[in-house]
């Protein structure tokens, strides 16, 4: 997009009082540098009222408007939906009338789009002016290949036959055969990856057995069997996944780790962490989906109660100290830590993280991937961090006394330290540090906040149904008299075509415990986790069970889900 075209549009919007003059000039330059239309650039930056702009441009350029609210590009012949031209010009073919193809565009100066579509299709083109807020998401959907409408079931029925034919011609080594034979394998795995993203899965499991092979997705923390391809394809499926993740396909005796980067569109990609494991019937391959957008959710959507959020934000605002996040694998510790790092990530701070592995890339944060074979461990990385003038340090996990001592030393010497431990509750975290051998006075003086957490499956808002529970039963479950008197509604899962077994998405359940003077005194006296829990309760700290019951009162969790995540 030329600088002159951007300038012309900027001047028009300034004259119509839709943009500030100084902002318009600046944005015109930045849009030209990024090779984007001025209108699309403003939309991406959130600096315009798109509907007003559409009306002004239509009047000024004499181009009729169109409404894309009910637009479906699938009603057009395939030859008119040219993805290359759509990506290049950020326009869409709107409709065909007689021998004319109408192109919906947001930038009236983009005459090149009309010329290119006319050359490509061989018919005359005309422009319609679209609202960029409607147009941009449609362009994105087309370029993503319409992930939401993938039909995995028909893929399995229609193309697995072809895979069985290809299997008979495979090479003797059980690895990748001829390119034409492996095309169905490639398509099949790509479909599985896309379907996992669409379903919101966190992990994919490819599992070989003696007489069967299964593919399972972990959705909302629960594994579901998705597909069962022929067991004869076991070697080729694992080989394809290893090729995609740049692993050694000839090595099938030892575990391997790698990554896959799947690009969905021009500015959207998903990373997969890949782990292979030799089993007696072949290699099991597990893919963990690493969606960087989960780290950008913001603290308001994670499920913290207001008082819990306030305590976390206050601890993040401290210049030094240690914040510990605890819970089992898959409880959302990484997202909580990254959310905190995003809040802290400003140009004036030096942030370093030691992770095993680095799951999500954060711009502006110095992330270090652990490599124990080369001598790069949490403790050695921490030592190096402290020589590089850090403000904030994040340690993926405190696993041993050496790492704990260095992290505590950092927290005591002017650094804010964030880390994780695998314990069931916040009070147990303190006794775990003491059991590691950390002196009690170091624990009491360095740890400022502990967050224990779980992820519970949220009830589907479309199909959840009221459940009749007596007051006596509610009291036995843990509700107090004041809560029961509020006459809240308890819901149970039902199940519909928009959810999985009555659940859709997950919400965090938290126990947020600030280290008060009274709790510090118990630590110094080497009290146990029960003593600490009793004092925390007196100070108004909700344990995981109480926090989960509040989610029941809010209609987010079912009682069965509370039992599942807090029954330890």
């Amino acid at each position: 997009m030329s600088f002159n075209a951007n300038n012309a549009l900027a001047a028009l919007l300034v004259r119509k009082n839709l943009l500030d003059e100084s902002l318009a000039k600046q944005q015109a330059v930045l849009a030209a540098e990024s090779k984007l239309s001025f209108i699309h650039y403003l939309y991406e930056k959130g600096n315009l009222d798109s509907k007003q702009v559409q009306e002004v441009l239509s009047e000024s350029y004499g181009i009729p408007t169109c409404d894309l609210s009910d637009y479906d590009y699938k009603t057009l012949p395939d030859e008119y939906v040219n993805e290359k031209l759509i990506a290049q010009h950020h326009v869409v073919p709107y409709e065909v009338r007689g021998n004319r193809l109408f192109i919906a565009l947001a930038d009236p100066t983009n005459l090149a789009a009309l010329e290119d579509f006319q050359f490509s299709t061989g018919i005359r083109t005309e422009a319609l002016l679209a609202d960029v807020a409607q147009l941009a998401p449609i362009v994105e959907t087309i370029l993503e290949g319409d992930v939401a409408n993938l039909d995995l079931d028909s893929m399995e029925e229609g193309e697995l036959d072809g895979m069985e034919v290809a299997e008979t011609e495979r090479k003797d080594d059980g690895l990748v055969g001829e390119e034409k034979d492996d095309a169905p394998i490639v398509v099949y795995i790509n479909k599985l990856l896309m379907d996992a993203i669409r379903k919101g899965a966190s992990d994919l499991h490819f599992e070989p057995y003696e007489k069967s092979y299964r593919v399972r997705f972990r959705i909302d923390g629960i594994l579901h069997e998705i597909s069962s391809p022929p067991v004869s394809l076991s070697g080729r499926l694992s080989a394809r996944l290893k090729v995609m993740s740049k692993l050694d396909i000839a090595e099938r005796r030892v575990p391997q780790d790698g990554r896959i980067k799947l690009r969905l569109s021009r500015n959207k990609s998903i990373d997969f962490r890949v782990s292979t494991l030799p089993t007696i019937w072949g290699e099991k391959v597990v893919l963990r989906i690493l969606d960087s957008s989960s780290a950008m959710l913001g603290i308001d959507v994670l499920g913290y109660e207001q008082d819990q959020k306030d305590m976390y934000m206050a601890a993040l605002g401290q210049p030094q100290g240690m914040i510990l996040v605890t819970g089992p694998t898959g409880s959302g510790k990484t997202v909580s830590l990254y959310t905190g790092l995003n809040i802290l990530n400003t140009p004036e701070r030096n942030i370093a993280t030691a992770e095993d592995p680095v799951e999500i890339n954060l711009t502006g944060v110095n992330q270090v991937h652990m490599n124990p074979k080369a001598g790069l461990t949490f403790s050695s990385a921490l030592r190096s961090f402290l020589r590089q003038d850090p403000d904030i340090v994040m340690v993926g996990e405190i696993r041993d006394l050496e790492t704990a001592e260095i992290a505590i030393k950092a927290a005591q010497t002017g650094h804010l330290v964030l880390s994780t431990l695998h314990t069931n509750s916040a009070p147990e975290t303190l006794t775990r540090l003491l059991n590691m051998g950390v002196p009690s006075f170091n624990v009491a003086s360095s740890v400022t906040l502990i967050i224990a957490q779980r992820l519970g499956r949220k009830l589907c808002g479309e199909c959840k149904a009221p459940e009749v529970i007596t007051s006596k039963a509610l009291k036995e479950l843990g509700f107090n008299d004041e809560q029961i008197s509020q006459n809240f509604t308890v819901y149970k899962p039902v199940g519909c075509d928009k959810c999985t077994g009555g659940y859709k998405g997950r919400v965090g359940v938290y126990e947020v415990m600030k280290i008060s003077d009274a709790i510090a005194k118990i630590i110094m006296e080497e009290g146990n986790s029960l003593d600490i829990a009793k004092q925390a309760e007196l100070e108004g700290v909700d344990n995981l069970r109480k926090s989960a019951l509040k989610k029941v009162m809010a209609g987010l969790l079912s009682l069965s889900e509370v039992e599942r995540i807090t029954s330890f």
Side-chain angles (χ1 to χ4, degrees):
M1 182 53 55
S2 72
F3 179 67
N4 288 338
N6 285 342
N7 263 352
L9 289 170
L12 174 62
L13 296 182
V14 169
R15 284 199 307 273
K16 297 293 185 179
N17 296 318
L18 294 177
L19 269 186
D20 174 73
E21 185 174 1
S22 60
L23 176 65
K25 288 180 179 178
Q26 179 192 31
Q27 301 289 313
V29 173
L30 294 173
E33 288 176 354
S34 62
K35 297 182 180 179
L36 271 180
S37 152
F38 183 60
I39 303 300
H40 283 273
Y41 186 83
L42 289 177
Y43 167 72
E44 287 190 1
K45 298 299 178 183
N47 289 330
L48 85 169
D49 182 329
S50 61
K51 193 66 183 173
Q52 273 191 307
V53 168
Q54 180 192 20
E55 293 169 0
V56 165
L57 293 179
S58 172
E59 180 184 345
S60 301
Y61 285 85
I63 300 175
T65 62
C66 63
D67 181 9
L68 297 178
S69 55
D70 296 321
Y71 174 80
D72 183 3
Y73 66 91
K74 293 178 183 176
T75 60
L76 292 166
D78 289 343
E79 61 267 26
Y80 294 150
V81 187
N82 188 320
E83 292 186 10
K84 183 177 178 181
L85 294 181
I86 291 170
Q88 180 182 344
H89 295 292
H90 296 276
V91 301
V92 294
Y94 182 71
E95 64 178 350
V96 180
R97 294 185 207 156
N99 64 345
R100 291 180 298 169
L101 172 64
F102 286 84
I103 304 295
L105 43 77
D107 179 2
T109 68
N110 190 5
L111 301 178
L114 302 179
E115 294 170 359
D116 287 350
F117 266 92
Q118 185 164 315
F119 181 80
S120 170
T121 59
I123 67 171
R124 183 179 160 198
T125 56
E126 289 191 23
L128 293 174
L129 203 65
D131 180 347
V132 66
Q134 291 182 334
L135 177 64
I138 291 171
V139 170
E140 192 76 11
T141 298
I142 294 173
L143 299 183
E144 285 180 5
D146 202 11
V147 174
N149 291 308
L150 288 176
D151 188 350
L152 185 61
D153 294 332
S154 65
M155 162 63 196
E156 291 166 10
E157 294 167 6
E159 294 193 28
L160 277 179
D161 294 339
M163 281 195 252
E164 289 178 335
V165 171
E167 174 65 15
T168 62
E169 299 175 3
R170 71 189 177 103
K171 294 184 178 179
D172 293 336
D173 60 6
L175 299 177
V176 182
E178 297 296 328
E179 185 177 346
K180 64 182 178 61
D181 296 336
D182 289 315
I185 297 277
V186 173
V187 174
Y188 174 67
I189 287 179
N190 287 348
K191 290 257 185 187
L192 281 174
L193 297 184
M194 289 293 194
D195 202 52
I197 294 168
R198 177 175 65 81
K199 290 177 180 289
S202 60
D203 303 86
L204 297 83
H205 293 242
F206 294 80
E207 302 170 316
Y209 297 96
E210 182 180 13
K211 296 180 180 178
S212 64
Y213 191 99
R214 70 178 177 183
V215 180
R216 294 190 292 171
F217 292 174
R218 188 178 293 279
I219 302 171
D220 296 334
I222 305 295
L223 283 167
H224 302 269
E225 186 166 340
I226 298 298
S227 175
S228 185
V231 68
S232 57
L233 296 180
S234 170
R236 305 177 83 186
L237 289 169
S238 62
R240 173 59 188 164
L241 290 166
K242 287 161 75 175
V243 167
M244 293 174 73
S245 48
K246 298 180 174 61
L247 299 178
D248 182 358
I249 62 172
E251 180 55 79
R252 287 171 281 176
R253 299 166 299 172
V254 296
Q256 296 186 67
D257 295 297
R259 289 174 83 97
I260 296 171
K261 191 177 191 71
L262 187 65
R263 189 166 295 282
L264 301 180
S265 67
R266 185 171 57 90
N267 53 10
K268 173 70 173 175
S269 61
I270 301 284
D271 286 343
F272 296 81
R273 191 177 81 208
V274 183
S275 172
T276 70
L277 180 70
T279 71
I280 58 173
W281 303 116
E283 284 184 290
K284 173 175 178 174
V285 185
V286 176
L287 280 66
R288 161 72 52 96
I289 299 178
L290 309 174
D291 187 358
S292 59
S293 62
S294 65
M296 311 299 173
L297 290 174
I299 194 169
D300 292 321
V301 299
L302 295 185
Y304 286 94
E305 302 294 336
Q306 187 60 47
D307 59 330
Q308 295 175 336
K309 173 188 165 184
D310 292 342
M311 282 192 281
Y312 190 18
M313 294 298 291
L316 290 172
Q318 296 295 315
Q320 66 182 57
M322 182 182 289
I323 300 172
L324 294 173
V325 183
T326 79
T329 301
S331 61
K333 299 188 299 295
T334 299
V335 172
S336 283
L337 283 176
Y338 279 153
T339 300
L341 286 179
N342 269 323
I343 293 168
L344 296 167
N345 188 11
T346 58
E348 61 269 13
R349 290 190 176 106
N350 177 17
I351 304 177
T353 73
E355 303 173 62
D356 186 19
V358 174
E359 294 193 353
I360 298 171
N361 296 325
L362 293 176
T363 303
V365 176
N366 306 291
Q367 296 173 276
V368 179
H369 183 100
M370 296 299 93
N371 186 356
K373 290 181 181 177
L376 182 55
T377 61
F378 284 121
S379 55
S380 62
L382 263 174
R383 286 195 186 93
S384 295
F385 289 169
L386 296 180
R387 293 193 288 269
Q388 296 216 331
D389 184 34
D391 297 298
I392 293 133
V393 172
M394 194 268 271
V395 187
E397 184 184 348
I398 294 177
R399 296 176 178 172
D400 51 48
L401 176 59
E402 185 181 15
T403 305
E405 287 180 333
I406 301 169
I408 284 173
K409 179 183 176 182
Q412 292 173 332
T413 55
H415 307 91
L416 182 62
V417 180
L418 288 78
S419 190
T420 70
L421 275 172
H422 287 281
T423 59
N424 284 330
S425 67
E428 289 176 39
T429 305
L430 294 167
T431 54
R432 172 74 186 279
L433 288 172
L434 296 173
N435 291 338
M436 275 185 182
V438 180
S440 57
F441 63 87
N442 277 343
V443 175
S445 62
S446 58
V447 179
T448 54
L449 188 79
I450 301 175
I451 301 172
Q453 66 179 79
R454 298 291 187 276
L455 287 177
R457 292 178 295 169
K458 284 172 65 175
L459 286 163
C460 173
E462 299 289 332
C463 65
K464 66 181 181 181
E467 184 175 10
V468 178
I469 305 287
T470 65
S471 297
K472 181 181 178 182
L474 289 175
K475 197 158 189 174
E476 290 174 353
L477 287 165
F479 292 99
N480 59 40
D481 292 333
E482 183 183 347
Q483 290 172 324
I484 294 171
S485 67
Q486 295 177 27
N487 293 321
F488 58 89
T489 303
V490 176
Y491 291 94
K492 62 182 179 181
V494 177
C496 65
D497 57 359
K498 294 185 179 179
C499 66
T500 305
Y503 298 100
K504 187 176 182 181
R506 289 191 286 180
V507 65
V509 175
Y510 304 93
E511 176 184 20
V512 182
M513 187 178 79
K514 181 182 176 182
I515 308 304
S516 64
D517 291 341
I519 291 176
K521 184 179 179 183
I522 295 172
I523 297 169
M524 292 289 288
E525 294 170 352
E526 298 190 1
N528 58 35
S529 59
L530 294 176
D531 297 328
I532 297 169
K534 190 178 295 184
Q535 179 60 37
E537 185 177 6
L538 290 174
E539 295 177 8
V541 174
D542 286 335
N543 60 25
L544 287 167
R545 179 80 172 193
K546 289 182 178 178
S547 292
L549 293 177
K550 285 185 177 179
K551 298 288 192 297
V552 172
M553 295 175 68
L556 296 174
L557 294 182
S558 66
L559 290 172
S560 59
E561 188 66 3
V562 171
E563 288 295 321
R564 187 181 74 84
I565 64 175
T566 66
S567 59
F568 55 88

